[in-house]
Amino acid sequence: MYFTDVDSPLGPLLLTAGPDGALTSLSVPGQKGGRTVRDGRRRDPGPFRAAKEQLAAYFAADLKEFRLETRAEGTPFRMRVWAALDSVPYGATATYGEIAARAGASRAAVRAVGGAIGANPLLIVRPCHRVIGADGSLTGYAGGLERKVRLLTLEGVEAGAPAGMLMEPGSR
């Protein structure tokens, strides 16, 4: 298992990868449930070259979609929710209810969907920051609401914009 740190406008990012080089997590300092470096992991920037390049391009507003090999482990439910997150495009937002529907869950499962989103091990790369409350509120983000605002602002999303439908870039 490998790890490295990457500087970013959000602070240092901790990236981990498996033996095959697939990205397994991306965490920010103070993240709720964020990864830490465990014994047996080796600092090696080699497996993270593409991630570093793509993150730099994203923060420069030159990259709209990450193309990285990732590998995150979770329950089948979490995997469905995470796949639904991956379908929310750059510069757009979706509500928890919309993510639930995309994941094949009932509206009653919105709280469980929120838990799955909060357990996302790939912040930024898997865009959980694009999920907002039904009233447009910027509800929870494991990396902190101030980082969520910065990411949405980078992508051109207006804070507090109405929700209830997927908002495509330029639709405001």
Side-chain angles (χ1 to χ4, degrees), residues 75-170:
T75 65
F77 176 76
R78 283 185 175 179
M79 299 299 277
R80 288 195 320 271
V81 170
W82 296 342
L85 286 176
D86 288 338
S87 73
V88 182
Y90 182 96
T93 59
T95 66
Y96 289 89
E98 290 168 338
I99 296 297
R102 290 180 187 194
S106 70
R107 276 209 150 315
V110 169
R111 188 172 295 255
V113 167
I117 291 170
N120 171 21
L122 293 163
L123 291 191
I124 306 166
V125 172
R126 177 173 292 128
C128 54
H129 59 276
R130 297 178 188 154
V131 181
I132 61 174
D135 63 356
S137 62
L138 299 181
T139 58
Y141 182 61
L145 286 179
E146 68 285 347
R147 288 187 179 110
K148 182 172 188 161
V149 169
R150 290 185 74 181
L151 291 168
L152 291 173
T153 301
L154 170 74
E155 294 185 14
V157 175
E158 297 173 28
M165 65 182 153
L166 179 68
M167 295 195 292
E168 299 293 341

Side-chain angles (χ1 to χ4, degrees), residues 1-5 13-26 35-49:
M1 301 295 276
Y2 303 101
F3 75 94
T4 197
D5 297 303
L13 307 176
L14 173 65
L15 284 67
T16 64
D20 61 355
L23 190 64
T24 56
S25 73
L26 188 157
R35 300 300 192 264
T36 57
V37 177
R38 298 183 191 144
D39 290 340
R41 295 203 180 198
R42 186 173 66 159
R43 181 183 295 274
D44 182 353
F48 303 101
R49 283 189 186 95

